[in-house]
Amino acid sequence: MQSLPALLDSRLRALTGIDPEMRPATKPQFGHFQSNVALRLAKEQGRPPREVATSIVEQLDVSDICEPLEVAGPGFINFRIRADVLAQAATTVLEDPHHGLNRTAHPQRIVIDYSAPNVAKQMHVGHLRTTIIGDCFNRLLTALGHEVIPQNHIGDWGTQFGMLVEHIMEHDIDVAELDLAGAEQLYKDSKKHFDDDPDFATRARARVVKLQGGDEETRAIWRQLIDVSLKGFNAAYQRLGVLLTDEHLAGESTYNDALPQVAADLEQRGIAVVDDGALVVWVEGFDAPIIIRKSDGGYGYDATDIAAIRYRITALKADRIIYVTDVRQSQHFQQVFGAARKAGYLPDDVRAQHVGYGMVLGPDGRPFKTRDGGTVSLTSLLDLAEQEAAPGIALAAIKYADLSGALHKDYVFDAERMVQTTGDTGPYLQYAHARTCQILRKAEAEGYGWGAVVVIDEPAEQTLALLLSRFGEVVDEVAAKLTPHKLCGYLYDLAGALSAFYEACPVLRSEGEVRSSRLALVAATRAVLATGLQLLGIEAPERM
Ligand code: ARG
């Protein structure tokens, strides 16, 4: 559904040939929107602005949407949307099974690479962000009718596993007994062992070779480490209420067998060149190449990502690929995309996007660290928020705080502020939704029904209806630009418009058609709040 302002915009644009720069009116007596298009055209043409405005008003046919247009002040054009059109728009949102979301006419297969924690390490604050943001993208794009293929590119391969397995064997540790925190401790112990004891380091390196060679005993312990870690990751996913499951796992090790083929292919076609013993790909605009095969013959993070792209195109048939990681990896991905395009693994018509997010800061505005300077685990953050509020509310608070600012920016994790039910918070939106439920429950208990929105005279009603009509357009923009904060801002405005409406317009205390129409408006608002929160991955309880 095209929103009313978007319709006006496009007709005015077609007539004048320039961007009409439609703005919300500053006062209700000016109508709903205003454009200064005549002022700008007049300047260009050297004509009096009011004359230009008058001639636009004469030629512009918007009588199906607006009251007769007005020329105001030096030559502004004021638009007032007809009350019956607003009522119809709100009714459509209420009755549409998708509440105004525009289901796509061109469904795509969209790979989203998110979460991706590392084996034998706890998920930390950064993984909290990628998991929440990726989950939101997943929900949004799925709701629009795309086929989303989540890929959890966990860090389950690398030289650190030689050290871990060797340490486990030498200390006869039963990995199956460990939890994720225990595995992380083991990681720290083996790292210390590795740094302190050169003989152990040598044995650890030999163990890497065994792991790569497929030695059964080594692989079995490596597998156990993964299983223990997955238990911890899955517990975190459950607690977060995100859609990721084991089905979406495709860790770094998935691509092991493909790596030598990729290297050979790139080398044969001259895309990759040998440089100081390493096989590398140069990408225009970067000072250093990406490394396909290290001089010791090993493969690393770059190579794995190239192989992953190839797999996502050929096997998963992706039409679009989205990566959600820390903003500090943005250079890595730009380079990987460049190399994959050069190699022809990433066709020109497949969009690859890296969405980088900023850091989570402590209440003091510094990077969030534990008291002893360590990284803060995801579970301890959830615990922190749950000290302030019930789990459902704490989670809403965290997700909203994560999604409501521009993603690339850092944000302050201030649990006490985030859980407030007033202000720009997740719980505030949950509360607004619960309030609509409460009003409608009361109405039902008293035997009042509602059908369509028909009477819509009060400015507060009109503002609410107008906002409701914009839902689909807002979600379209958020899906195209991957900017969930725009959806948060919209829902926040909607909740504000709801409470202004509720203050200005009696609902249960009005009568007849007015009451039924206002109840319908409340029902439409409930639907949009519930749908919007669902897209953010935030629960919308009926009571709070
Ligand atoms: N495991 C990495 C980390 O914790 C993130 C992996 C992101 N995905 C990828 N395809 N490189 O930072």
Side-chain angles (χ1 to χ4, degrees), residues 113-119 124 127 130 151-156 250 252 255 301 304-305 308 312 323-326 329 332-333 357:
D113 180 317
Y114 65 105
S115 195
N118 302 311
V119 166
H124 57 68
H127 295 118
T130 162
Q151 291 285 282
N152 196 354
H153 193 91
I154 60 170
D156 62 357
E252 294 178 11
Y255 307 101
Y301 196 58
T304 307
D305 264 323
R312 289 164 186 184
Y323 293 79
V324 188
T325 78
D326 189 315
Q329 291 195 38
H332 162 77
F333 284 108
Y357 53 80

mmCIF file of all heavy atoms in Angstrom, residues 113-119 124 127 130 151-156 250 252 255 301 304-305 308 312 323-326 329 332-333 357, ligand 1:
data_model
loop_
_atom_site.group_PDB
_atom_site.id
_atom_site.type_symbol
_atom_site.label_atom_id
_atom_site.label_comp_id
_atom_site.label_asym_id
_atom_site.label_seq_id
_atom_site.Cartn_x
_atom_site.Cartn_y
_atom_site.Cartn_z
ATOM 1 N N ASP A 113 24.158 -13.627 7.341
ATOM 2 C CA ASP A 113 25.261 -14.200 8.126
ATOM 3 C C ASP A 113 25.312 -13.415 9.428
ATOM 4 O O ASP A 113 25.661 -12.236 9.432
ATOM 5 C CB ASP A 113 26.546 -14.030 7.296
ATOM 6 C CG ASP A 113 27.802 -14.563 7.959
ATOM 7 O OD1 ASP A 113 27.997 -14.333 9.167
ATOM 8 O OD2 ASP A 113 28.620 -15.177 7.246
ATOM 9 N N TYR A 114 24.882 -14.046 10.515
ATOM 10 C CA TYR A 114 24.864 -13.319 11.791
ATOM 11 C C TYR A 114 25.097 -14.237 12.972
ATOM 12 O O TYR A 114 25.092 -15.452 12.824
ATOM 13 C CB TYR A 114 23.563 -12.528 11.950
ATOM 14 C CG TYR A 114 22.272 -13.322 12.053
ATOM 15 C CD1 TYR A 114 21.613 -13.489 13.272
ATOM 16 C CD2 TYR A 114 21.675 -13.858 10.923
ATOM 17 C CE1 TYR A 114 20.407 -14.170 13.357
ATOM 18 C CE2 TYR A 114 20.467 -14.548 11.003
ATOM 19 C CZ TYR A 114 19.842 -14.700 12.219
ATOM 20 O OH TYR A 114 18.640 -15.377 12.297
ATOM 21 N N SER A 115 25.312 -13.633 14.105
ATOM 22 C CA SER A 115 25.630 -14.286 15.382
ATOM 23 C C SER A 115 27.077 -14.779 15.378
ATOM 24 O O SER A 115 27.936 -14.123 15.914
ATOM 25 C CB SER A 115 24.660 -15.417 15.722
ATOM 26 O OG SER A 115 24.829 -15.744 17.083
ATOM 27 N N ALA A 116 27.343 -15.936 14.783
ATOM 28 C CA ALA A 116 28.713 -16.418 14.567
ATOM 29 C C ALA A 116 29.659 -16.273 15.752
ATOM 30 O O ALA A 116 30.716 -15.647 15.636
ATOM 31 C CB ALA A 116 29.311 -15.730 13.323
ATOM 32 N N PRO A 117 29.306 -16.834 16.902
ATOM 33 C CA PRO A 117 30.250 -16.833 18.027
ATOM 34 C C PRO A 117 31.382 -17.826 17.768
ATOM 35 O O PRO A 117 31.370 -18.522 16.746
ATOM 36 C CB PRO A 117 29.394 -17.286 19.211
ATOM 37 C CG PRO A 117 28.285 -18.087 18.620
ATOM 38 C CD PRO A 117 28.033 -17.508 17.248
ATOM 39 N N ASN A 118 32.326 -17.864 18.674
ATOM 40 C CA ASN A 118 33.492 -18.728 18.491
ATOM 41 C C ASN A 118 33.489 -19.873 19.490
ATOM 42 O O ASN A 118 33.186 -19.678 20.664
ATOM 43 C CB ASN A 118 34.755 -17.885 18.616
ATOM 44 C CG ASN A 118 34.765 -16.763 17.592
ATOM 45 O OD1 ASN A 118 34.530 -17.002 16.406
ATOM 46 N ND2 ASN A 118 34.971 -15.540 18.039
ATOM 47 N N VAL A 119 33.832 -21.056 19.004
ATOM 48 C CA VAL A 119 33.834 -22.265 19.839
ATOM 49 C C VAL A 119 34.828 -22.118 20.984
ATOM 50 O O VAL A 119 35.902 -21.518 20.810
ATOM 51 C CB VAL A 119 34.152 -23.489 18.956
ATOM 52 C CG1 VAL A 119 34.501 -24.715 19.803
ATOM 53 C CG2 VAL A 119 32.967 -23.805 18.059
ATOM 54 N N HIS A 124 29.925 -12.816 23.714
ATOM 55 C CA HIS A 124 30.129 -11.575 24.460
ATOM 56 C C HIS A 124 29.205 -10.484 23.937
ATOM 57 O O HIS A 124 28.357 -10.754 23.078
ATOM 58 C CB HIS A 124 31.605 -11.157 24.413
ATOM 59 C CG HIS A 124 32.149 -10.987 23.026
ATOM 60 N ND1 HIS A 124 31.736 -9.973 22.196
ATOM 61 C CD2 HIS A 124 33.035 -11.721 22.318
ATOM 62 C CE1 HIS A 124 32.377 -10.074 21.040
ATOM 63 N NE2 HIS A 124 33.160 -11.129 21.082
ATOM 64 N N HIS A 127 28.511 -10.227 20.255
ATOM 65 C CA HIS A 127 27.633 -11.267 19.703
ATOM 66 C C HIS A 127 26.169 -11.022 20.072
ATOM 67 O O HIS A 127 25.275 -11.455 19.360
ATOM 68 C CB HIS A 127 28.089 -12.653 20.174
ATOM 69 C CG HIS A 127 29.444 -13.017 19.653
ATOM 70 N ND1 HIS A 127 30.512 -13.258 20.490
ATOM 71 C CD2 HIS A 127 29.906 -13.150 18.388
ATOM 72 C CE1 HIS A 127 31.578 -13.529 19.751
ATOM 73 N NE2 HIS A 127 31.246 -13.464 18.475
ATOM 74 N N THR A 130 25.040 -8.672 17.099
ATOM 75 C CA THR A 130 24.832 -9.315 15.805
ATOM 76 C C THR A 130 23.633 -10.263 15.854
ATOM 77 O O THR A 130 22.868 -10.374 14.903
ATOM 78 C CB THR A 130 26.102 -10.042 15.287
ATOM 79 O OG1 THR A 130 25.708 -10.969 14.267
ATOM 80 C CG2 THR A 130 26.841 -10.798 16.343
ATOM 81 N N GLN A 151 22.749 -18.001 8.146
ATOM 82 C CA GLN A 151 23.972 -18.795 8.167
ATOM 83 C C GLN A 151 24.768 -18.387 9.408
ATOM 84 O O GLN A 151 25.187 -17.233 9.530
ATOM 85 C CB GLN A 151 24.804 -18.532 6.907
ATOM 86 C CG GLN A 151 24.169 -19.081 5.638
ATOM 87 C CD GLN A 151 24.296 -20.597 5.531
ATOM 88 O OE1 GLN A 151 25.352 -21.109 5.185
ATOM 89 N NE2 GLN A 151 23.225 -21.316 5.846
ATOM 90 N N ASN A 152 24.942 -19.346 10.287
ATOM 91 C CA ASN A 152 25.683 -19.077 11.514
ATOM 92 C C ASN A 152 27.127 -19.552 11.323
ATOM 93 O O ASN A 152 27.439 -20.720 11.504
ATOM 94 C CB ASN A 152 24.997 -19.789 12.686
ATOM 95 C CG ASN A 152 25.470 -19.261 14.033
ATOM 96 O OD1 ASN A 152 26.389 -18.443 14.088
ATOM 97 N ND2 ASN A 152 24.863 -19.735 15.100
ATOM 98 N N HIS A 153 27.971 -18.602 10.938
ATOM 99 C CA HIS A 153 29.360 -18.866 10.547
ATOM 100 C C HIS A 153 30.227 -18.931 11.807
ATOM 101 O O HIS A 153 31.099 -18.070 12.033
ATOM 102 C CB HIS A 153 29.791 -17.710 9.632
ATOM 103 C CG HIS A 153 31.062 -17.889 8.862
ATOM 104 N ND1 HIS A 153 31.120 -18.427 7.612
ATOM 105 C CD2 HIS A 153 32.344 -17.540 9.161
ATOM 106 C CE1 HIS A 153 32.364 -18.410 7.162
ATOM 107 N NE2 HIS A 153 33.139 -17.873 8.093
ATOM 108 N N ILE A 154 29.993 -19.938 12.643
ATOM 109 C CA ILE A 154 30.708 -19.986 13.929
ATOM 110 C C ILE A 154 32.206 -20.239 13.712
ATOM 111 O O ILE A 154 32.611 -20.873 12.734
ATOM 112 C CB ILE A 154 30.130 -21.058 14.894
ATOM 113 C CG1 ILE A 154 30.207 -22.453 14.287
ATOM 114 C CG2 ILE A 154 28.694 -20.731 15.288
ATOM 115 C CD1 ILE A 154 29.873 -23.563 15.276
ATOM 116 N N GLY A 155 32.989 -19.737 14.623
ATOM 117 C CA GLY A 155 34.442 -19.928 14.557
ATOM 118 C C GLY A 155 34.792 -21.283 15.142
ATOM 119 O O GLY A 155 35.011 -21.411 16.343
ATOM 120 N N ASP A 156 34.806 -22.313 14.290
ATOM 121 C CA ASP A 156 35.033 -23.673 14.791
ATOM 122 C C ASP A 156 36.295 -24.284 14.190
ATOM 123 O O ASP A 156 36.448 -25.496 14.142
ATOM 124 C CB ASP A 156 33.812 -24.561 14.465
ATOM 125 C CG ASP A 156 33.585 -24.683 12.961
ATOM 126 O OD1 ASP A 156 34.326 -24.040 12.181
ATOM 127 O OD2 ASP A 156 32.672 -25.421 12.561
ATOM 128 N N ALA A 250 26.707 -23.148 9.906
ATOM 129 C CA ALA A 250 27.642 -23.410 8.817
ATOM 130 C C ALA A 250 28.930 -22.737 9.253
ATOM 131 O O ALA A 250 29.246 -21.627 8.836
ATOM 132 C CB ALA A 250 27.113 -22.847 7.505
ATOM 133 N N GLU A 252 33.065 -22.184 10.130
ATOM 134 C CA GLU A 252 34.238 -22.055 9.256
ATOM 135 C C GLU A 252 34.686 -23.413 8.713
ATOM 136 O O GLU A 252 35.093 -23.532 7.554
ATOM 137 C CB GLU A 252 35.379 -21.387 10.023
ATOM 138 C CG GLU A 252 35.076 -19.943 10.405
ATOM 139 C CD GLU A 252 36.199 -19.294 11.210
ATOM 140 O OE1 GLU A 252 37.292 -19.878 11.305
ATOM 141 O OE2 GLU A 252 35.969 -18.192 11.750
ATOM 142 N N TYR A 255 33.909 -25.216 5.215
ATOM 143 C CA TYR A 255 34.530 -24.896 3.933
ATOM 144 C C TYR A 255 35.923 -25.512 3.772
ATOM 145 O O TYR A 255 36.577 -25.285 2.756
ATOM 146 C CB TYR A 255 34.568 -23.364 3.753
ATOM 147 C CG TYR A 255 33.181 -22.794 3.942
ATOM 148 C CD1 TYR A 255 32.804 -22.186 5.142
ATOM 149 C CD2 TYR A 255 32.212 -22.940 2.946
ATOM 150 C CE1 TYR A 255 31.511 -21.725 5.336
ATOM 151 C CE2 TYR A 255 30.919 -22.484 3.137
ATOM 152 C CZ TYR A 255 30.576 -21.884 4.332
ATOM 153 O OH TYR A 255 29.291 -21.442 4.517
ATOM 154 N N TYR A 301 40.899 -16.788 7.828
ATOM 155 C CA TYR A 301 39.586 -16.144 7.822
ATOM 156 C C TYR A 301 39.187 -15.629 6.436
ATOM 157 O O TYR A 301 38.056 -15.823 5.991
ATOM 158 C CB TYR A 301 39.653 -15.006 8.841
ATOM 159 C CG TYR A 301 38.336 -14.424 9.302
ATOM 160 C CD1 TYR A 301 37.370 -15.229 9.906
ATOM 161 C CD2 TYR A 301 38.077 -13.063 9.158
ATOM 162 C CE1 TYR A 301 36.171 -14.672 10.352
ATOM 163 C CE2 TYR A 301 36.887 -12.497 9.608
ATOM 164 C CZ TYR A 301 35.932 -13.308 10.207
ATOM 165 O OH TYR A 301 34.760 -12.755 10.644
ATOM 166 N N THR A 304 38.345 -18.513 3.987
ATOM 167 C CA THR A 304 37.089 -19.151 4.361
ATOM 168 C C THR A 304 35.901 -18.314 3.911
ATOM 169 O O THR A 304 34.903 -18.839 3.414
ATOM 170 C CB THR A 304 37.051 -19.349 5.892
ATOM 171 O OG1 THR A 304 38.238 -20.045 6.263
ATOM 172 C CG2 THR A 304 35.849 -20.158 6.314
ATOM 173 N N ASP A 305 36.022 -17.005 4.040
ATOM 174 C CA ASP A 305 34.913 -16.154 3.614
ATOM 175 C C ASP A 305 34.717 -16.161 2.099
ATOM 176 O O ASP A 305 33.594 -16.056 1.615
ATOM 177 C CB ASP A 305 35.088 -14.720 4.148
ATOM 178 C CG ASP A 305 34.295 -14.524 5.440
ATOM 179 O OD1 ASP A 305 33.186 -15.095 5.541
ATOM 180 O OD2 ASP A 305 34.780 -13.827 6.350
ATOM 181 N N ALA A 308 32.981 -19.334 1.398
ATOM 182 C CA ALA A 308 31.589 -19.245 1.865
ATOM 183 C C ALA A 308 30.723 -18.502 0.841
ATOM 184 O O ALA A 308 29.593 -18.897 0.574
ATOM 185 C CB ALA A 308 31.528 -18.552 3.227
ATOM 186 N N ARG A 312 27.480 -19.928 -1.065
ATOM 187 C CA ARG A 312 26.180 -19.263 -0.919
ATOM 188 C C ARG A 312 25.563 -18.945 -2.274
ATOM 189 O O ARG A 312 24.340 -18.920 -2.410
ATOM 190 C CB ARG A 312 26.343 -17.997 -0.067
ATOM 191 C CG ARG A 312 26.611 -18.368 1.380
ATOM 192 C CD ARG A 312 27.147 -17.267 2.237
ATOM 193 N NE ARG A 312 27.479 -17.821 3.549
ATOM 194 C CZ ARG A 312 27.902 -17.122 4.565
ATOM 195 N NH1 ARG A 312 28.070 -15.820 4.442
ATOM 196 N NH2 ARG A 312 28.174 -17.719 5.705
ATOM 197 N N TYR A 323 25.764 -9.441 5.833
ATOM 198 C CA TYR A 323 26.638 -9.846 6.937
ATOM 199 C C TYR A 323 26.464 -8.869 8.081
ATOM 200 O O TYR A 323 26.499 -7.663 7.864
ATOM 201 C CB TYR A 323 28.107 -9.797 6.514
ATOM 202 C CG TYR A 323 28.507 -10.808 5.469
ATOM 203 C CD1 TYR A 323 28.204 -10.589 4.130
ATOM 204 C CD2 TYR A 323 29.189 -11.970 5.821
ATOM 205 C CE1 TYR A 323 28.569 -11.520 3.162
ATOM 206 C CE2 TYR A 323 29.561 -12.900 4.859
ATOM 207 C CZ TYR A 323 29.243 -12.669 3.535
ATOM 208 O OH TYR A 323 29.609 -13.580 2.586
ATOM 209 N N VAL A 324 26.294 -9.380 9.274
ATOM 210 C CA VAL A 324 26.154 -8.509 10.429
ATOM 211 C C VAL A 324 27.301 -8.774 11.401
ATOM 212 O O VAL A 324 27.352 -9.831 12.038
ATOM 213 C CB VAL A 324 24.814 -8.747 11.159
ATOM 214 C CG1 VAL A 324 24.613 -7.696 12.241
ATOM 215 C CG2 VAL A 324 23.646 -8.751 10.187
ATOM 216 N N THR A 325 28.236 -7.864 11.459
ATOM 217 C CA THR A 325 29.336 -7.986 12.425
ATOM 218 C C THR A 325 29.697 -6.600 12.946
ATOM 219 O O THR A 325 29.215 -5.583 12.450
ATOM 220 C CB THR A 325 30.635 -8.570 11.822
ATOM 221 O OG1 THR A 325 31.305 -7.543 11.084
ATOM 222 C CG2 THR A 325 30.382 -9.772 10.933
ATOM 223 N N ASP A 326 30.577 -6.620 13.881
ATOM 224 C CA ASP A 326 31.223 -5.435 14.399
ATOM 225 C C ASP A 326 31.703 -4.539 13.241
ATOM 226 O O ASP A 326 32.226 -5.028 12.245
ATOM 227 C CB ASP A 326 32.431 -6.009 15.165
ATOM 228 C CG ASP A 326 33.152 -4.990 15.966
ATOM 229 O OD1 ASP A 326 33.390 -3.900 15.447
ATOM 230 O OD2 ASP A 326 33.482 -5.318 17.118
ATOM 231 N N GLN A 329 35.027 -4.878 11.262
ATOM 232 C CA GLN A 329 35.307 -5.859 10.209
ATOM 233 C C GLN A 329 34.896 -5.351 8.820
ATOM 234 O O GLN A 329 34.925 -6.105 7.850
ATOM 235 C CB GLN A 329 34.582 -7.180 10.498
ATOM 236 C CG GLN A 329 35.162 -7.903 11.706
ATOM 237 C CD GLN A 329 34.713 -9.359 11.781
ATOM 238 O OE1 GLN A 329 34.597 -10.041 10.769
ATOM 239 N NE2 GLN A 329 34.457 -9.835 12.983
ATOM 240 N N HIS A 332 37.447 -5.766 6.070
ATOM 241 C CA HIS A 332 37.584 -7.179 5.699
ATOM 242 C C HIS A 332 36.518 -7.552 4.668
ATOM 243 O O HIS A 332 36.811 -8.154 3.638
ATOM 244 C CB HIS A 332 37.476 -8.065 6.943
ATOM 245 C CG HIS A 332 37.173 -9.517 6.653
ATOM 246 N ND1 HIS A 332 38.123 -10.409 6.186
ATOM 247 C CD2 HIS A 332 36.016 -10.231 6.728
ATOM 248 C CE1 HIS A 332 37.567 -11.598 5.993
ATOM 249 N NE2 HIS A 332 36.284 -11.514 6.324
ATOM 250 N N PHE A 333 35.274 -7.180 4.948
ATOM 251 C CA PHE A 333 34.210 -7.594 4.036
ATOM 252 C C PHE A 333 34.270 -6.857 2.703
ATOM 253 O O PHE A 333 34.043 -7.450 1.653
ATOM 254 C CB PHE A 333 32.836 -7.446 4.709
ATOM 255 C CG PHE A 333 32.589 -8.551 5.699
ATOM 256 C CD1 PHE A 333 32.608 -8.309 7.061
ATOM 257 C CD2 PHE A 333 32.395 -9.859 5.264
ATOM 258 C CE1 PHE A 333 32.413 -9.337 7.972
ATOM 259 C CE2 PHE A 333 32.203 -10.899 6.168
ATOM 260 C CZ PHE A 333 32.210 -10.635 7.520
ATOM 261 N N TYR A 357 28.056 -2.835 13.213
ATOM 262 C CA TYR A 357 27.468 -2.165 14.375
ATOM 263 C C TYR A 357 28.560 -1.676 15.309
ATOM 264 O O TYR A 357 29.683 -2.179 15.297
ATOM 265 C CB TYR A 357 26.497 -3.103 15.115
ATOM 266 C CG TYR A 357 27.103 -4.436 15.478
ATOM 267 C CD1 TYR A 357 27.934 -4.577 16.588
ATOM 268 C CD2 TYR A 357 26.860 -5.553 14.692
ATOM 269 C CE1 TYR A 357 28.497 -5.785 16.909
ATOM 270 C CE2 TYR A 357 27.427 -6.777 15.000
ATOM 271 C CZ TYR A 357 28.246 -6.882 16.106
ATOM 272 O OH TYR A 357 28.817 -8.082 16.413
HETATM 273 N N1 ARG B 1 33.315 -15.399 14.366
HETATM 274 C C1 ARG B 1 33.499 -14.039 13.991
HETATM 275 C C2 ARG B 1 33.612 -13.165 15.247
HETATM 276 O O1 ARG B 1 33.261 -13.584 16.330
HETATM 277 C C3 ARG B 1 32.388 -13.485 13.141
HETATM 278 C C4 ARG B 1 32.150 -14.177 11.806
HETATM 279 C C5 ARG B 1 31.310 -13.346 10.892
HETATM 280 N N2 ARG B 1 30.995 -13.967 9.639
HETATM 281 C C6 ARG B 1 31.834 -14.185 8.640
HETATM 282 N N3 ARG B 1 31.391 -14.755 7.546
HETATM 283 N N4 ARG B 1 33.081 -13.804 8.693
HETATM 284 O O2 ARG B 1 34.010 -12.017 15.135
#
